[in-house]
Amino acid sequence: MGRILCVVNQKGGVGKTTTAVNLAASLAIANQSCLLMDMDPQCNATTSLGQSPTAGHALVSDRSVSESIVVTKLPKLALLPGSRSFQDVDLLATSDDQQAVRVRKHLDSVFESYDFVLIDCPPSVGELTQTALAASTEVLIPIQCEYFAMEGLTQLIKTIKKVIVATDGRLTFGGILLTMYDPSLELTREVDQEVREFFGDIVFESVVPRDVSLSEAPSHGETVFQYAPRSRGAYAYTQLCMEVLQRD
Ligand SMILES: Nc1ncnc2c1ncn2[C@@H]1O[C@H](COP(=O)(O)OP(=O)(O)OP(=O)(O)O)[C@@H](O)[C@H]1O
Ligand SMILES: [Mg+2]
């Protein structure tokens, strides 16, 4: 089975979706077969790739998940679109055992076909994120270099540790990524130092700078690699991709 990376942080707007989309794309460009799975009812990962959300989420439907997987502009990158249906979100987030087993079965049915699966999560540590974490092998946390960057992380880490225990250690810390990084700002340098002191080696050496290409690409339905392949954003996610591959 391949590696399943769950991109989480309960703080909103820290770069989860941007990271899930562009890391998946860079891995696909590095010839790894990838599935990007949209578990966020905002469906930003889905629309970022120029696709439409589905009426119901494949993970809670009776159909096989593979029927709902769509191709993207990158040959090695597939997408499982998200759904905005609140009912399906409730089902995905349920702590009901029978439903959880069904979601898990659906997830496991597709995992084997890919080298990497990246899961884009909503900004929460609620049940939906816990379902995603329980199905994953690694957790990747983007942290925005802003005030209160570390706020709420204790709760997130607590939840992650709970899932690690519940999954018998299948889930591991895949890494922490600093986003919206601007080394000319005192604040960025402070957050960088604080995060690295606290978390040590699990923090990726690669950092993602603030880059307008990264924020513009989704409105063209493209990853940064099609929209602006020479941009700093594209470079940063290529670096991150290499680090992720090295950490295998
Ligand atoms: N490195 C970056 N440089 C510039 N803009 C960025 C960068 N990363 C993300 N953005 C922009 O910041 C906004 C938030 O990013 P993104 O949607 O990836 O965050 P998120 O954590 O997924 O948000 P949410 O919690 O709502 O799901 C988006 O408009 C995105 O285009
Ligand atoms: Mg998002």
Side-chain angles (χ1 to χ4, degrees):
M1 193 176 66
R3 293 166 64 183
I4 306 157
L5 274 60
C6 194
V7 185
V8 295
N9 190 334
Q10 79 265 47
K11 223 182 227 315
V14 298
K16 289 182 289 297
T17 302
T18 307
T19 297
V21 168
N22 291 298
L23 177 58
S26 55
L27 286 163
I29 291 166
N31 211 26
Q32 305 289 313
S33 62
C34 279
L35 174 67
L36 176 63
M37 199 176 259
D38 194 348
M39 293 269 274
D40 182 357
Q42 296 181 100
C43 300
N44 294 150
T46 304
T47 51
S48 287
L49 290 175
Q51 303 285 344
S52 304
T54 49
H57 204 288
L59 292 179
V60 290
S61 88
D62 291 326
R63 283 168 296 135
S64 89
V65 177
S66 52
E67 283 174 44
S68 304
I69 291 174
V70 296
V71 295
T72 70
K73 291 175 188 170
L74 286 169
K76 286 262 177 179
L77 177 62
L79 169 76
L80 184 70
S83 163
R84 295 199 171 111
S85 151
F86 285 113
Q87 200 189 348
D88 284 7
V89 170
D90 282 348
L91 282 174
L92 268 175
T94 187
S95 46
D96 166 341
D97 279 352
Q98 228 179 333
Q99 186 60 40
V101 166
R102 188 159 109 168
V103 171
R104 191 55 195 273
K105 232 177 165 173
H106 266 325
L107 288 168
D108 286 346
S109 72
V110 287
F111 285 163
E112 279 174 13
S113 318
Y114 298 92
D115 296 319
F116 281 90
V117 177
L118 276 90
I119 306 180
D120 187 30
C121 286
S124 112
V125 278
E127 297 283 353
L128 182 60
T129 298
Q130 289 177 44
T131 302
L133 282 170
S136 302
T137 60
E138 292 165 60
V139 50
L140 201 159
I141 309 173
I143 294 183
Q144 187 179 1
C145 298
E146 282 294 340
Y147 280 115
F148 311 123
M150 305 267 278
E151 199 180 62
L153 275 187
T154 346
Q155 202 200 338
L156 176 61
I157 306 261
K158 226 191 212 163
T159 307
I160 293 168
K161 283 193 173 149
K162 203 174 84 183
V163 176
I164 290 177
V165 171
T167 57
D168 273 338
R170 178 173 115 133
L171 179 70
T172 57
F173 275 101
I176 290 178
L177 174 70
L178 295 171
T179 63
M180 327 256 182
Y181 196 93
D182 181 350
S184 71
L185 298 178
E186 173 83 28
L187 180 59
T188 290
R189 296 198 296 271
E190 277 171 23
V191 171
D192 184 317
Q193 194 184 351
E194 195 183 349
V195 169
R196 287 184 199 279
E197 262 169 25
F198 192 82
F199 291 105
D201 284 348
I202 64 166
V203 185
F204 288 106
E205 267 174 51
S206 317
V207 294
V208 181
R210 224 173 244 291
D211 179 6
V212 72
S213 303
L214 287 169
S215 54
E216 285 173 356
S219 62
H220 298 264
E222 291 180 332
T223 75
V224 76
F225 298 99
Q226 291 115 9
Y227 178 68
R230 291 172 203 276
S231 63
R232 281 163 17 108
Y235 179 78
Y237 279 107
T238 304
Q239 294 289 314
L240 175 66
C241 165
M242 289 195 285
E243 250 189 281
V244 167
L245 288 171
Q246 274 163 10
R247 282 189 183 190
D248 190 8

